[in-house]
Amino acid sequence: MLQRFLDSGKPTLPGVVVLDEDDALNYSDVSLPPLWGRLIFKRDCVTNHLNKVFSIFPNEDFYGFAADDLVPEEGWDVFLSKRCEDIYIAYGDDGIQGEKLCTHSFIGGDLIRKVGWMQYPKVKHLYGDTVWKTIGSELGLLRYYPEIKTTHLHFSNGGTYDKTYAERHCGNDESAFVNWKENEWSVSKSQLLEWQLIKLINQRGEV
């Protein structure tokens, strides 16, 4: 699936492929694009992998995430990266959720640094994009582009239900999301709104 993702999307921006150490040899023959590398971690949930990547690369202008069962159209990465700017969440049509959920999005680097993570640390696999959709929706930071096709060949959308899906770490992701929204989000929202206002004022002062 990884080679299919690379062949279809033809990414031209720098990137990394994150592999579990007990599975890395299965991808040794995958041909990576220029400016791409491999990171090999101990097997863990997707959230911990993403946040570890952020800890290694904390100063990027933007961050994008794509699972290997994504089949994007060529140019998707450059298009979305130019539209997430410092604080926005840019995403295309994944063929399942459409505008409803910002799956496989590009997020401005300043926003990632402000919240301190790429994926909310208390979820393991699911609801990470739901957290970002909540943040983006309530702060007016979502940028949806239906013309950008980032088709997600999830097993619910014509993909194969394989070992990776079967072994995914989900934990209590739904309850973790509900707890975040009910008990943490109001405080975080106030802080983000204040930060967002200061950023906009500073940007206008630079014009």
Side-chain angles (χ1 to χ4, degrees):
M1 287 193 290
L2 175 58
Q3 192 65 64
R4 180 185 62 191
F5 158 73
L6 296 170
D7 291 343
S8 64
K10 296 180 174 57
T12 57
L13 297 174
V16 293
V17 173
V18 177
L19 301 170
D20 294 307
E21 64 180 9
D22 59 355
D23 196 33
L25 286 177
N26 292 325
Y27 296 89
S28 58
D29 61 344
V30 171
S31 178
L32 297 183
L35 306 179
W36 276 58
R38 291 174 169 86
L39 290 175
I40 300 175
F41 298 146
K42 277 188 171 183
R43 181 170 290 276
D44 205 344
C45 64
V46 66
T47 294
N48 289 345
H49 279 347
L50 287 173
N51 290 337
K52 191 176 292 186
V53 170
F54 173 54
S55 72
I56 296 171
F57 302 100
N59 299 310
E60 303 302 314
D61 292 337
F62 55 83
Y63 295 86
F65 162 73
D68 63 358
D69 56 357
L70 203 69
V71 186
E73 294 180 345
E74 184 175 356
W76 67 285
D77 56 334
V78 172
F79 184 97
L80 294 176
S81 70
K82 288 181 177 179
R83 286 155 179 84
C84 67
E85 296 180 275
D86 298 330
I87 63 172
Y88 293 96
I89 302 167
Y91 63 109
D93 179 9
D94 71 351
I96 303 174
Q97 300 291 345
E99 188 174 7
K100 293 186 295 183
L101 199 59
C102 48
T103 62
H104 307 97
S105 57
F106 275 66
I107 304 174
D110 284 354
L111 179 57
I112 294 277
R113 282 182 284 275
K114 180 60 181 176
V115 301
W117 34 260
M118 278 188 70
Q119 185 145 294
Y120 177 59
K122 293 181 183 178
V123 302
K124 300 301 182 184
H125 184 94
L126 304 175
Y127 288 90
D129 43 17
T130 311
V131 170
W132 279 118
K133 178 63 187 295
T134 302
I135 293 172
S137 179
E138 296 199 20
L139 298 183
L141 300 178
L142 294 176
R143 292 181 169 180
Y144 173 60
Y145 300 94
E147 69 274 22
I148 300 301
K149 305 302 181 185
T150 56
T151 303
H152 186 194
L153 287 185
H154 187 265
F155 63 83
S156 65
N157 192 37
T160 302
Y161 188 86
D162 61 11
K163 181 180 177 182
T164 304
Y165 286 121
E167 294 181 351
R168 61 186 178 170
H169 303 270
C170 297
N172 298 310
D173 287 353
E174 183 176 5
S175 60
F177 167 71
V178 170
N179 182 68
W180 169 82
K181 191 168 185 182
E182 292 181 351
N183 300 305
E184 297 181 40
W185 171 230
S186 60
V187 175
S188 300
K189 181 179 179 179
S190 297
Q191 294 171 344
L192 285 169
L193 282 169
E194 181 179 357
W195 168 78
Q196 183 183 6
L197 178 60
I198 292 171
K199 248 189 115 50
L200 289 171
I201 290 171
N202 290 339
Q203 287 174 351
R204 289 174 180 173
E206 294 172 359
V207 175

